[in-house]
Amino acid sequence: MLCPNCFLQSFNGVKCATCGYEMKDGPSIEDLKLYYRLQKRYIVGRAIGAGGFAITYVAYDTVTDRKVCIKEYFPMGLAVRSANGISVQTTRQNRVEEFENGISHFIEEAHIISQMNNIAGVVSVTDCFEENGTAYYVMEYLDGVPLRQLVPEHGMELRAASGIILQAGRTLNLVHREKGYLHRDVSPENIMVLLSGRVVIIDFGSARNFFMSNSNYTITLKHGFAPIEQYSSADIQGPFTDVYGLASTYYYVLTGKVLPRATDRLTGVAYEPLSVLRPDVGEEISEIVDKALMLQPSERTQTVGEFVSALESVVSRRSCEEGFVYVSVSIDGAVQERYKIEEDKEILVGRSPKCDVVFPGCENVSKVHCKLMFDREKKQFCLEDCSTNGTYINYVKMDKDTKYYVGSQDLIILANTRYRLILGE
């Protein structure tokens, strides 16, 4: 039977023998009928997300022979699924116009995203159509998780957090400069971190072209990530609006805390500078973030490009000033420990406390999992696997007892994606 998650014939109706997907509950009554074929091309699988206006499914494109995501316009409280599990209609006759306007806006969202298909850090849209009384658009399948899921209780390690935010910031800057669009909903939910390390911005449902109009914006926001100007439909918005969203996301990723909503800050609720909650980030980074989170737009960092350049400069300089090579242990996306290592000296990585770099209590990691050395002459790390469950470089399994040269940009996985080595120099 076809698996509704990986689309291989290895599903017994409850669990897939290939990908491990388990159908614990049946589909929701709102979901499109499982295995329905849209446009006689896309086989609909399981629902992977539902918001206020849409349901997102994993699907299989029979033309390109690949997994995709399909977003269906389905506004909760305004739409209902028919008894056949396929067609969609409005709940009340007097709300037909509202429903149809929503379809137009949904198609506009797909059109906006498709204009950015040449930007690697934006999810790409490949198709859009109307069917079953509603609308759909097809996106690339993103094998990863929202940034929020990777943030531990007290925040991420500075280098890892900065790397993600800088990637997202560079993408957002391109969206502003080359396409003229504001995202207006930058948050940890709308930044995806893929297993490959790629960072992708999603959900452009609130996006607007700021070159065309600076007024009459719809009020769509997330408290704690939206600046004060988004609480009014008449206030001018610009790149500085997304600066606040990106900086508040960075603040959250580093501290594990959501900022007070902008309206509460305006009435006197205190803002805690980043340096108070995370003294280790230093005053320079804290000041960059504080300026990007100023309540008044005129006092705030004006462009994402300025924010990225300032942050990148400090992060890069600090790396150079540290002047040593290090390795960090990452478990479930959170950095647990950072080790300084000497150049041209072989170190052992594994579960055993006798190793130089330790993954404590990680049963799938071998006692001595791999050997690592930083080659002074080549200025690269040299990695050798000696494990039971394998070491992977960018998801490719290493041959045992063979030396590979890797750099800080490579993804190093021990046994499975829960356990990773982060290399730095």
Side-chain angles (χ1 to χ4, degrees), residues 11 16 31 33 35 65 72 74-75 112-113 121 137 155 166 177 244 251 291 305 341 347 352 361 391 405 409 422:
F11 186 60
C16 177
D31 294 348
K33 185 178 180 181
Y35 305 123
D65 189 28
E72 176 189 48
F74 194 96
I112 288 172
I113 303 173
Y137 64 80
L166 285 171
R177 292 179 58 192
Y244 191 99
Y251 185 99
K291 183 171 174 54
I341 64 175
I347 64 169
S352 170
T391 303
Y405 282 96
Q409 76 281 359
I422 299 174

Side-chain angles (χ1 to χ4, degrees), residues 156-165 250 253-254 326 333 335 422:
M156 293 177 71
E157 189 262 343
L158 176 63
R159 187 182 178 95
S162 300
I164 292 170
I165 294 300
Y250 189 38
V253 171
L254 285 171
Y326 68 86
V335 173
I422 299 174

Side-chain angles (χ1 to χ4, degrees), residues 38-73:
L38 288 164
Q39 297 287 285
K40 299 180 180 179
R41 170 177 177 174
Y42 306 104
I43 301 173
V44 175
R46 69 185 183 94
I48 56 175
F53 296 96
I55 302 173
T56 304
Y57 308 89
V58 62
Y60 176 69
D61 184 348
T62 59
V63 172
T64 62
D65 189 28
R66 66 176 181 177
K67 201 171 174 180
V68 295
C69 277
I70 295 182
K71 194 169 183 179
E72 176 189 48
Y73 178 65

Side-chain angles (χ1 to χ4, degrees), residues 63-241:
V63 172
T64 62
D65 189 28
R66 66 176 181 177
K67 201 171 174 180
V68 295
C69 277
I70 295 182
K71 194 169 183 179
E72 176 189 48
Y73 178 65
F74 194 96
M76 300 301 172
L78 187 58
V80 64
R81 186 82 59 188
S82 63
N84 65 8
I86 298 171
S87 58
V88 176
Q89 58 193 32
T90 54
T91 51
R92 298 175 188 170
Q93 204 56 35
N94 62 357
R95 302 186 73 178
V96 170
E97 184 178 354
E98 182 183 351
F99 181 82
E100 290 178 349
N101 287 339
I103 289 179
S104 297
H105 179 75
F106 185 80
I107 293 172
E108 180 188 359
E109 176 187 344
H111 177 66
I112 288 172
I113 303 173
S114 67
Q115 292 180 54
M116 306 176 200
N117 281 356
N118 64 324
I119 300 177
V122 175
V123 62
S124 62
V125 167
T126 56
D127 200 0
C128 180
F129 50 89
E130 292 186 57
E131 190 174 336
N132 303 327
T134 188
Y136 303 83
Y137 64 80
V138 182
M139 302 173 285
E140 63 175 312
Y141 177 76
L142 299 176
D143 192 6
V145 296
L147 176 55
R148 183 180 283 275
Q149 291 186 25
L150 297 179
V151 180
E153 183 179 358
H154 300 295
M156 293 177 71
E157 189 262 343
L158 176 63
R159 187 182 178 95
S162 300
I164 292 170
I165 294 300
L166 285 171
Q167 277 198 62
R170 293 185 196 106
T171 294
L172 203 53
N173 192 42
L174 285 174
V175 170
H176 290 173
R177 292 179 58 192
E178 295 187 5
K179 306 300 179 181
Y181 281 100
L182 304 177
H183 187 281
R184 303 201 314 138
D185 195 14
V186 180
S187 66
E189 290 85 2
N190 290 335
I191 296 175
M192 292 285 292
V193 181
L194 309 192
L195 293 177
S196 64
R198 178 182 166 212
V199 174
V200 180
I201 296 176
I202 63 171
D203 199 344
F204 282 75
S206 300
R208 290 294 180 272
N209 189 308
F210 62 87
F211 289 152
M212 294 176 62
S213 173
N214 279 327
S215 61
N216 297 319
Y217 288 96
T218 55
I219 299 177
T220 306
L221 49 81
K222 285 190 180 74
H223 297 305
F225 299 98
I228 194 66
E229 64 267 23
Q230 279 192 260
Y231 285 81
S232 168
S233 62
D235 283 356
I236 292 174
Q237 298 179 26
F240 48 82
T241 302

